[in-house]
Amino acid sequence: KGKTAIITGASRGIGAATARYFAQNGANVVLAARSADKIETLAEDLRKEGHAARAIPCDVADPDAVKALIEDAKDAFGSVDVLVNNAGIIDPISRIEDSDPSAWGKALDVNVKGVYHGLRYAIPVMKAQGGGTIINISSGAAHSTLEGWSHYAASKAAVLRLTGVANTENAADGIRVIGISPGTVATDMIRYITATGVNAVSKLPESAHIPADWVAKAIAVLCGPVGDDFLGTDFTLKTDEGRKL
Ligand code: NJP
């Protein structure tokens, strides 16, 4: 039986590239996002290529929906080996003085609580099965003071702290929780950022942005020994050597 990876925000961009990469390298994938039609189309394409893929519509801001997503993956495939907490939003971009308080809070609901919900419900499943990997997508914005991004920067900084605590709480049980800040990636999100012209990132040339499938590969590498099945590469020896203190 293959390993199972859940990817949130899988309807486009980094999440869709990650779902495709994991499926094409032997994982059972569970695609989650709000756009049911888009994830179903991608899952159907992957199934036509002979891969195991399910599409589960899910708003990560809703704890019950995330709980149901993780239960679905476990029931369908028997385990949850990888969770990629990738769903995220940056719109609407605006300076603090011009921002709408409820729109500001939405970024925290999705980017922070969405990650928390994934951790909350995946950790017990991974603990019971003896381990797993959770990758949380943060951002360079976590370390920046770029204008117009107060909601996004605050949320992505919170993701890093949440990641650290989750890793410390669970590493001894074989659950690795890793945060990544991919820089700028050629997706709809960066197209929106560019259109706003709000700060230095929006003025970067298109050539500055990395392809989404590079991030997908990096995520698979970070899954370490779990990723053996995805990558056809033996990471075990290197990982064990690295572990010697
Ligand atoms: O973004 P985009 P990326 N519940 O807009 C989904 C971070 N990042 O791929 O629900 C569930 O193309 C949405 O699907 P839908 C970034 O912060 C990016 O660039 O159908 N899903 C879509 O699939 C984010 O955390 C860059 O609308 C929800 C996906 O999220 C992650 O990378 C740089 C949802 C967003 O696709 C993926 O971003 C960086 C919800 N409530 C970090 N709300 C970059 N692009 O430069 C949204 O360092 N989604």
Side-chain angles (χ1 to χ4, degrees), residues 48-126:
K48 279 185 195 149
E49 291 174 24
H51 310 305
R54 291 171 70 75
I56 305 294
C58 174
D59 181 341
V60 297
D62 174 357
D64 294 337
V66 176
K67 184 170 188 267
L69 166 70
I70 288 161
E71 280 169 1
D72 177 278
K74 186 173 180 324
D75 291 348
F77 295 122
S79 64
V80 176
D81 303 288
V82 172
L83 168 64
V84 185
N85 279 317
N86 163 76
I89 56 170
I90 194 168
D91 58 309
I93 288 173
S94 72
R95 296 172 67 88
I96 295 168
E97 71 213 48
D98 302 323
S99 60
D100 170 348
S102 67
W104 198 93
K106 188 87 173 60
L108 278 87
D109 288 344
V110 177
N111 299 357
V112 184
K113 287 194 194 166
V115 170
Y116 160 73
H117 296 148
L119 292 165
R120 171 65 185 83
Y121 295 112
I123 286 168
V125 172
M126 290 181 175

Side-chain angles (χ1 to χ4, degrees), residues 8-16 32-36 38-39 58-61 85-90 106 110-111 137-141 152 156 180-191 193 209 212:
T8 70
S11 62
R12 57 177 190 265
I14 295 169
R34 292 165 305 172
S35 308
K38 287 192 191 162
I39 50 173
C58 174
D59 181 341
V60 297
N85 279 317
N86 163 76
I89 56 170
I90 194 168
K106 188 87 173 60
V110 177
N111 299 357
I137 311 299
S138 179
S139 166
Y152 188 68
K156 292 298 186 176
I180 67 167
S181 301
T184 61
V185 188
T187 67
D188 283 358
M189 184 176 282
I190 207 76
R191 281 175 211 114
I193 291 166
H209 312 312

Side-chain angles (χ1 to χ4, degrees), residues 160-227:
L160 291 185
R161 293 297 170 270
L162 193 49
T163 300
V165 174
N167 189 63
T168 309
E169 287 183 355
N170 296 287
D173 289 314
I175 303 169
R176 296 187 188 87
V177 188
I178 301 170
I180 67 167
S181 301
T184 61
V185 188
T187 67
D188 283 358
M189 184 176 282
I190 207 76
R191 281 175 211 114
Y192 166 69
I193 291 166
T194 303
T196 65
V198 69
N199 59 33
V201 172
S202 41
K203 296 184 176 65
L204 289 171
E206 225 178 297
S207 58
H209 312 312
I210 62 171
D213 54 3
W214 290 13
V215 183
K217 285 184 193 176
I219 290 170
V221 169
L222 288 171
C223 292
V226 175

Side-chain angles (χ1 to χ4, degrees), residues 10 18 43 107 141 145 148 162 196 199 217 233-235 239 241:
T18 304
T145 56
L162 193 49
T196 65
N199 59 33
K217 285 184 193 176
T233 310
D234 181 9
F235 282 97
T239 309
E241 281 172 354

